[in-house]
Every structure is written in C-alpha cells, then in structure tokens.
C-alpha cells in the first residue's frame, strides 16, 4: 500500500495534499489510490488514439484537477502540459505525452 513517505520521495507535495484532507492521512491515502485508479486515464488514451482532441481535453482537464488536488506534482505537471497543448490544439506528440503520463501514474501506483 502507498505510504506518505513514498509519496514524498517521489515528488508529491504531501503537506498540501494532507491539508486538503484536514490532515487525515488515511483519507488522503484513500483518495490518492482512487485518483490514481481513475478510469479517465484509459479514456484519455482512447480519445487521443481516435484523434478526438475535444474529448481528450475534457478528460485531461478533469484528471489534472483531481491529481492537482491530491498534490501529486510530477503527474500534475505532465497532465498540465498535455492539457494546455490540447486546449490550444498545438501540434504535439500527444501519444508520447500520454505515454509519459501513464509511466508516471504507474510509478505511483506501484508504491
């Protein structure tokens, strides 16, 4: 099971995340597990593969909010970058960016 210390070691801003949960570690860790398990991650991959950038933006923006509230900084930063590229419909390696997001997510899920 994921721990506060492992989250810290891997770049999460645990103090901020805990403050949003009124300092309740068990609640915070439960929410982290729920957030990292969100099926929107897979839906985002599907939307990107089908070139549905509008839907991909909505999914990515929603995930950014969840992960941002949990203060999982490395994943939040990657989602933020993709969100902005999608918002502006900038040419980008969306598949590569998505792969990076999934790799970061996997790293945290394995803690």
């Amino acid at each position: 099971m994921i721990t506060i210390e492992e989250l810290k070691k891997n770049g999460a801003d645990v103090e901020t995340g805990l403050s949003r949960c009124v300092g309740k570690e068990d609640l915070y860790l439960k929410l982290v597990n729920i957030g990292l398990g969100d099926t929107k991650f897979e839906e985002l991959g599907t939307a990107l593969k089908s070139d549905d950038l509008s839907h991909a933006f909505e999914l990515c923006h929603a995930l950014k909010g969840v992960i941002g509230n949990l203060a999982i900084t490395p994943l939040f930063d990657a989602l933020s970058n993709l969100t902005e590229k999608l918002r502006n419909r900038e040419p980008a390696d969306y598949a590569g960016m998505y792969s990076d997001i999934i790799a970061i997510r996997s790293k945290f899920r394995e803690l």
Side-chain angles (χ1 to χ4, degrees):
M1 179 169 195
I2 200 165
T3 67
I4 295 294
E5 287 306 313
E6 287 297 319
L7 286 167
K8 281 183 189 179
K9 281 189 226 176
N10 286 280
D13 181 0
V14 171
E15 289 75 22
T16 298
L18 278 171
S19 72
R20 293 183 177 130
C21 294
V22 197
K24 295 182 179 182
E25 286 186 20
D26 57 336
L27 175 60
Y28 176 63
L29 293 173
K30 179 180 178 180
L31 292 174
V32 165
N33 282 314
I34 291 170
L36 292 172
D38 195 323
T39 59
K40 285 183 184 70
F41 283 101
E42 287 74 29
E43 293 174 42
L44 174 59
T46 301
L48 289 170
K49 282 180 188 169
S50 65
D51 205 32
D52 185 351
L53 299 185
S54 293
H55 188 53
F57 168 75
E58 291 172 12
L59 292 163
C60 196
H61 190 267
L63 286 167
K64 181 182 95 163
V66 169
I67 297 302
N69 280 325
L70 296 170
I72 305 172
T73 309
L75 188 52
F76 173 77
D77 290 345
L79 286 164
S80 294
N81 189 28
L82 179 56
T83 298
E84 291 312 306
K85 297 285 186 195
L86 289 167
R87 179 189 315 274
N88 299 315
R89 300 297 191 267
E90 292 178 33
D93 177 11
Y94 291 124
M97 294 173 81
Y98 176 72
S99 291
D100 292 345
I101 287 167
I102 293 305
I104 296 166
R105 175 195 184 210
S106 294
K107 180 176 120 178
F108 276 96
R109 291 183 84 181
E110 292 169 4
L111 296 178

